[in-house]
Amino acid sequence: MTELAELFERNRAWAAEMVAGDPDFFTGLADRQTPAYVWIGCSDSRVPANQIVGLQPGDVFVHRNVGNVVVHTDLNCLSVLQYAIDVLRVEHVIVCGHYGCGGVAAALHGARHGLIDNWLRHVTDVAEKHADALASLPEERRLDRLCELNVAEQVVNVRQTTIVEDAWARGQPLTVHGIVYGLEDGLLRDLRVSASGPGSSEG
């Protein structure tokens, strides 16, 4: 495990820092998982959910995949969503994309990378759906716009899951949001596509 020595050292330093700030930090954390949010984000290493919103462990339930895609046959994503909504009773589902996303870029430009091309086909479908709108933009703006459009489409997909539909049907407070993170400035943008019930939307 010498290859991971630096990670273990960093872990010990982090744990010590947490305890120095709050001696009961880990004791409390072990007995608590009451997040208000479930986060569906991109696997990109530059977009760590808790860190960019300044929340501690236990505050955000997280699912990440390449391109922050929500597919109705993806049992991994759906299981996370179901557990977060039905068991943890989160009140907010956040789909977060980011500008400059490599997966979205591959879908936009038709780049081939092997197996992942099949996964990114979902983003390619979004690009084809909005082909005219994307073509009307300057080339340098198209990638970021597709990142936004992809988030908006995934918000629709979340809203159409039986998990969210059932939660709304039983009157459970739940809002689905779409946001985008800027790698160059560290800021989040609200795409104003939030929905708190069937047919509701800011967009």
Side-chain angles (χ1 to χ4, degrees):
M1 295 295 270
T2 55
E3 300 91 347
L4 300 181
E6 182 181 355
L7 293 185
F8 282 105
E9 183 178 339
R10 287 178 177 273
N11 169 251
R12 287 190 294 271
W14 173 77
E17 182 182 347
M18 293 298 101
V19 172
D22 177 4
D24 298 321
F25 179 81
F26 290 107
T27 304
L29 186 62
D31 297 327
R32 177 184 71 90
Q33 181 174 216
T34 54
Y37 313 95
V38 58
W39 177 284
I40 301 173
C42 184
S43 298
D44 193 297
S45 61
R46 300 167 294 177
V47 194
N50 286 67
Q51 194 170 352
I52 65 175
V53 292
L55 293 177
Q56 294 294 324
D59 292 337
V60 185
F61 200 65
V62 179
H63 172 80
R64 295 169 70 178
N65 63 60
V66 176
N68 43 270
V69 175
V70 178
V71 182
H72 292 283
T73 53
D74 180 2
L75 296 183
N76 186 343
C77 181
L78 295 181
S79 295
V80 169
L81 195 60
Q82 187 268 329
Y83 188 81
I85 292 172
D86 293 354
V87 179
L88 298 178
R89 310 291 287 187
V90 300
E91 295 186 1
H92 302 276
V93 179
I94 298 170
V95 178
C96 181
H98 65 95
Y99 294 126
C101 180
V104 175
L108 178 64
H109 301 302
R112 299 299 297 268
H113 296 290
L115 178 65
I116 195 173
D117 300 338
N118 299 283
W119 179 255
L120 294 176
R121 178 68 227 187
H122 301 292
V123 183
T124 302
D125 290 342
V126 176
E128 291 178 353
K129 179 179 178 180
H130 299 280
D132 291 343
L134 291 169
S136 70
L137 296 173
E139 187 170 351
E140 65 273 12
R141 175 72 181 107
R142 291 175 191 168
L143 173 56
D144 284 351
R145 182 57 182 149
L146 183 54
C147 291
E148 296 170 346
L149 291 169
N150 183 51
V151 168
E153 290 289 336
Q154 306 316 317
V155 166
V156 172
N157 289 345
V158 170
R159 292 172 55 181
Q160 292 175 343
T161 62
T162 55
I163 301 157
V164 170
E165 289 179 343
D166 289 349
W168 282 338
R170 63 179 175 259
Q172 183 174 338
L174 183 68
T175 304
V176 183
H177 309 270
I179 61 179
V180 176
Y181 176 72
L183 294 173
E184 294 184 353
D185 61 13
L187 298 178
L188 294 169
R189 281 83 170 168
D190 184 356
L191 294 182
R192 301 195 177 280
V193 292
S194 298
S196 300
S200 71
S201 177
E202 290 183 16

